[in-house]
Amino acid sequence: MHAYATISGRSTAEVEIKKSRFIASLAHVAAEEEALAFIEEVRAANRMARHNVYAYVMRDANGGPGRTRYSDDGEPQRTAGLPTLSVLQGAGLQDVVCVTTRYFGGVLLGTGGLVRAYSQAAQEAVARAEIMTISRCVDATCRVPYALYDQFAKLVEESGAKMQDAAWTDAVTCRVRMLDGMQDAFSVAVFELSRGTVMPEASRSTPHSSGGTAVGHSAVARGRAGRVRAVQACGSCGLHGPCRPRRSCGSCVGRAWAVRVVCRRP
């Protein structure tokens, strides 16, 4: 599962332009059926409104293009639903639906005015929403000697992972959670720290959400990625080795992220 941005719960925003009220209602939905149900819910609550324009973006769980749909609901073609959809896509949101209700104020806005009005209403709703990033996380278990525990805990923090729990017996058994894709680099770092005596064992993966701001966990992961040497397969032999800029092993060199990979072929 690739990381994606969505919103938590719902948000609403209202703008008034030339006596017309535009009320944008934004919601997180897990399936297209939920999106359609939300659209009907907003329509039922605003039966006296002239228009209930909508747009939604549903992700594809298999990493495909997903599904998008919009409706102008009686407004001139491509002046209402499409601008709303463009706002959602521009914000990078998935699994969301936005319904903008218009109460006509008696003044015609023209096509350009309608595009700006529906765009502004949707933008206000997105700005008020709590945006979160959903990503797949992996748990890894490590048995760490007491003498290495402090260094290991520091490595976990610097790598962008998080210590979930620890059991203190003859050694410290730690369960560490990290973003899916980080486990190879983390394993190499732990292997080098312990000089080969500790190797993490992946236990399970689970969806993880981080929210509160539009930054989310994906940006945090990008900010911390430079602290851990990434691991990529060698282009020639397929084995894994840590990325080392401007270095090679001579006979077997692969490329990953514009840096050379040291081949670990025996």
Side-chain angles (χ1 to χ4, degrees):
M1 181 186 75
H2 299 287
Y4 67 96
T6 187
I7 72 166
S8 176
R10 300 181 177 186
S11 74
T12 304
E14 179 176 341
V15 297
E16 183 173 330
I17 300 175
K18 294 184 179 180
K19 299 183 180 181
S20 283
R21 296 169 58 208
F22 296 84
I23 307 168
S25 302
L26 184 67
H28 168 75
V29 287
E32 190 169 9
E33 292 76 14
E34 291 186 18
L36 298 175
F38 180 75
I39 294 167
E40 291 304 317
E41 176 186 329
V42 175
R43 281 176 174 165
N46 296 276
R47 296 191 182 279
M48 301 302 294
R50 179 71 66 89
H51 307 281
N52 285 287
V53 169
Y54 71 81
Y56 60 77
V57 180
M58 303 303 304
R59 71 183 182 91
D60 186 330
N62 297 320
R67 178 173 173 81
T68 60
R69 187 176 176 184
Y70 69 87
S71 169
D72 295 310
D73 194 33
E75 294 282 28
Q77 188 176 9
R78 302 172 71 88
T79 63
L82 185 59
T84 302
L85 177 63
S86 297
V87 170
L88 300 182
Q89 293 177 323
L93 299 177
Q94 299 183 66
D95 287 353
V96 291
V97 57
C98 182
V99 184
T100 301
T101 301
R102 180 188 182 187
Y103 285 92
F104 184 58
V107 179
L108 297 176
L109 301 182
T111 56
L114 288 173
V115 170
R116 289 189 292 272
Y118 281 103
S119 296
Q120 182 181 345
Q123 288 167 352
E124 291 286 345
V126 170
R128 294 187 181 187
E130 180 182 356
I131 297 177
M132 60 182 182
T133 299
I134 308 295
S135 54
R136 176 69 64 179
C137 286
V138 175
D139 286 359
T141 302
C142 305
R143 280 181 54 83
V144 182
Y146 280 84
L148 285 179
Y149 177 75
D150 289 342
Q151 297 176 64
F152 175 79
K154 183 179 180 181
L155 172 65
V156 170
E157 180 180 359
E158 291 180 345
S159 68
K162 186 176 181 180
M163 191 84 72
Q164 295 298 298
D165 52 51
W168 303 75
T169 55
D170 57 322
V172 188
T173 302
C174 305
R175 186 166 61 91
V176 180
R177 180 165 295 172
M178 66 201 75
L179 289 175
D180 191 12
M182 293 176 55
Q183 55 266 41
D184 285 344
F186 182 75
S187 295
V188 170
V190 172
F191 185 87
E192 292 182 350
L193 172 67
S194 66
R195 298 184 179 181
T197 62
V198 179
M199 280 300 294
E201 296 181 2
S203 54
R204 64 189 180 92
S205 62
T206 182
H208 169 78
S209 65
S210 61
T213 69
V215 175
H217 196 94
S218 60
V220 174
R222 287 195 296 270
R224 290 175 174 169
R227 301 182 187 178
V228 179
R229 285 181 296 177
V231 174
Q232 292 289 312
C234 173
S236 298
C237 67
L239 297 179
H240 285 73
C243 295
R244 303 183 189 275
R246 298 181 298 278
R247 293 183 58 186
S248 69
C249 66
S251 62
C252 183
V253 178
R255 282 195 170 272
W257 297 335
V259 298
R260 295 182 185 273
V261 180
V262 175
C263 177
R264 289 282 180 97
R265 178 192 290 173

